[in-house]
Amino acid sequence: MQKRTLGNSLVVSALGLGCMRMSFGDKPTDRREMISFLHAAVDRGITFFDTAEVYGPFTNEELVGEALEPFRGKVVIATKFGFKHDPVKGPNPMFGLDSRPEQIMRVAEASLKRLRVESIDLFYQHRVDPNVPIEDVAGAVRDLIQAGKVMHFGLSEAGADIIRRAHAVQPVTALQSEYSIWWRSVEEAVLPTLEELGIGLVPYSPLGRGYLTGKIDENTTYDSTDIRSRNPRFTPEAINANRVVVDLLERIGARKGATPAQIALAWLLAQKPWIVPIPGSRQPERLDENIGAGNVELTPDDLGEIDNAMSQIKVIGDRY
Ligand SMILES: NC(=O)c1ccc[n+]([C@@H]2O[C@H](COP(=O)([O-])OP(=O)(O)OC[C@H]3O[C@@H](n4cnc5c(N)ncnc54)[C@H](OP(=O)(O)O)[C@@H]3O)[C@@H](O)[C@H]2O)c1
């Protein structure tokens, strides 16, 4: 697998692996199976794994920490802080935000233990906390970096101004934000800022939460543990209306001998050499399919055709 560099120096496989759904927001999985799956991902050349304290909460970090312990130093694990903790239930997006410096310190210590590492490779703020100046957040992460407990600072879903202010205090290595062929808002102000400051982009939900693979139709059902059961882009009406996007990916894919998922990922890889998507998957054959995107070359004509077609498509349903 080819490598890409985030920021100045964080070298990772060109495609990472999103681990969230192994423990959060999807059907429960078997722990042993997921450990084998994570080992298979390493065998196939993936060196970049994405988790967060809130996934589970905690169990996803524990799973990733246990599975990747034998590969310490050979893989990069990114995790995230920033959701408020209930004293009993831990963090949850429903509880609000908490990026106070003292909380960041507590989360870092706990994540280090769960991940079984001496230093967190990449520590993202999961969401910007309007109650804590971003300079204080960046300052707390800078202190953790100086103490050797964190290697790189990241932000998630931050706007251009926040990125710039954070970067002035502690250089930001990567921004993680939703980015895919059907959600492109980062292109307006964020991508130029990242390019100017030398910050990498890690697109999350690069497969549109599975929709862009073409394997979801109006008969696909989700149980209540799956966040798509409440997602406006996954109503039967939206699924039908947005089929034109999959048709486009299939049309380009037919020419390239590639699947829609591979075209969706190849499109992201073609945008900038410092973009590293993190598709989530839990099945070896899907992992192989997604990794195959690295061999799909989209020409300027292909990219122009996609841009042109997408500019005429109105995607139905909010992304959350
Ligand atoms: N920073 C944030 O706020 C944030 C928010 C959301 C997600 N994330 C991160 O981004 C990662 C990926 O996002 P995501 O899971 O929401 O969306 P995604 O990667 O766009 O899609 C994942 C879904 O697609 C399915 N899938 C993957 N490859 C496939 C293939 N080749 N064919 C058919 N289906 C396929 C997966 O199924 P299976 O799992 O069943 O294989 C899963 O249901 C997460 O794991 C998480 O680490 C971050």
Side-chain angles (χ1 to χ4, degrees):
M1 159 112 43
Q2 286 182 356
K3 295 277 190 338
R4 291 192 166 199
T5 305
L6 297 169
N8 285 335
S9 59
L10 185 60
V11 178
V12 293
S13 50
L15 287 167
L17 180 65
C19 301
M20 175 183 79
R21 289 176 189 275
M22 297 174 190
S23 328
F24 185 71
D26 207 322
K27 271 204 289 288
T29 52
D30 178 76
R31 187 179 176 83
R32 303 293 344 149
E33 248 176 57
M34 287 303 105
I35 288 176
S36 305
F37 178 77
L38 285 159
H39 290 176
V42 177
D43 282 348
R44 286 158 170 77
I46 302 267
T47 66
F48 188 37
F49 295 84
D50 190 73
T51 181
E53 62 149 11
V54 77
Y55 300 160
F58 307 135
T59 46
N60 196 247
E61 281 190 335
E62 286 164 359
L63 170 73
V64 169
E66 180 182 346
L68 298 181
E69 193 173 21
F71 309 102
R72 203 189 282 173
K74 299 193 175 94
V75 297
V76 169
I77 305 175
T79 193
K80 316 183 193 79
F81 62 86
F83 287 112
K84 194 176 272 179
H85 283 217
D86 172 273
V88 179
K89 295 180 184 154
N92 187 296
M94 309 291 285
F95 302 157
L97 299 165
D98 186 354
S99 277
R100 290 170 300 142
E102 60 272 30
Q103 176 68 359
I104 297 173
M105 299 298 169
R106 276 196 291 270
V107 174
E109 294 296 343
S111 291
L112 281 167
K113 288 202 184 73
R114 287 190 290 268
L115 294 174
R116 307 184 188 196
V117 292
E118 277 154 27
S119 188
I120 296 169
D121 296 310
L122 174 57
F123 204 29
Y124 295 103
Q125 182 192 38
H126 210 145
R127 285 289 181 279
V128 175
D129 183 344
N131 296 317
V132 182
I134 196 66
E135 288 78 6
D136 295 357
V137 174
V141 177
R142 183 191 54 206
D143 292 347
L144 285 164
I145 290 174
Q146 280 168 1
K149 294 181 177 187
V150 167
M151 303 293 285
H152 295 271
F153 178 30
L155 297 168
S156 175
E157 291 271 309
D161 177 53
I162 293 281
I163 295 168
R164 211 174 271 287
R165 283 169 50 199
H167 193 71
V169 177
Q170 167 58 48
V172 176
T173 295
L175 174 81
Q176 181 171 134
S177 274
E178 182 162 357
Y179 186 32
S180 65
I181 195 170
W182 75 349
W183 184 258
R184 299 175 60 169
S185 70
V186 292
E187 290 176 356
E188 284 156 36
V190 169
L191 271 187
T193 305
L194 298 180
E195 184 138 51
E196 179 196 328
L197 300 177
I199 299 170
L201 177 65
V202 176
Y204 78 72
S205 302
L207 295 170
R209 300 172 177 79
Y211 185 76
L212 301 174
T213 66
K215 293 172 194 156
I216 287 170
D217 64 25
E218 73 277 15
N219 299 315
T220 310
T221 54
Y222 297 102
D223 67 33
S224 59
T225 54
D226 193 314
I227 33 187
R228 288 169 294 194
S229 64
R230 297 176 289 284
N231 185 300
R233 281 203 184 170
F234 286 82
T235 63
E237 298 72 34
I239 285 173
N240 274 332
N242 293 329
R243 176 73 209 177
V244 279
V245 180
V246 174
D247 291 345
L248 169 67
L249 294 171
E250 280 177 349
R251 194 165 69 239
I252 309 277
R255 276 203 317 256
K256 300 273 162 191
T259 66
Q262 290 172 334
I263 298 297
L265 295 172
W267 178 84
L268 279 169
L269 291 169
Q271 299 306 307
K272 298 285 175 191
W274 37 267
I275 287 183
V276 180
I278 47 165
S281 73
R282 302 170 300 171
Q283 300 175 37
E285 58 286 0
R286 290 181 168 184
L287 182 64
D288 287 334
E289 179 181 344
N290 298 345
I291 288 171
N295 301 322
V296 177
E297 285 268 343
L298 294 176
T299 63
D301 281 353
D302 297 328
L303 295 168
E305 183 179 338
I306 293 173
D307 278 354
N308 189 32
M310 284 307 295
S311 70
Q312 291 166 43
I313 292 173
K314 183 173 172 1
V315 175
I316 302 301
D318 287 341
R319 69 182 177 123
Y320 275 114

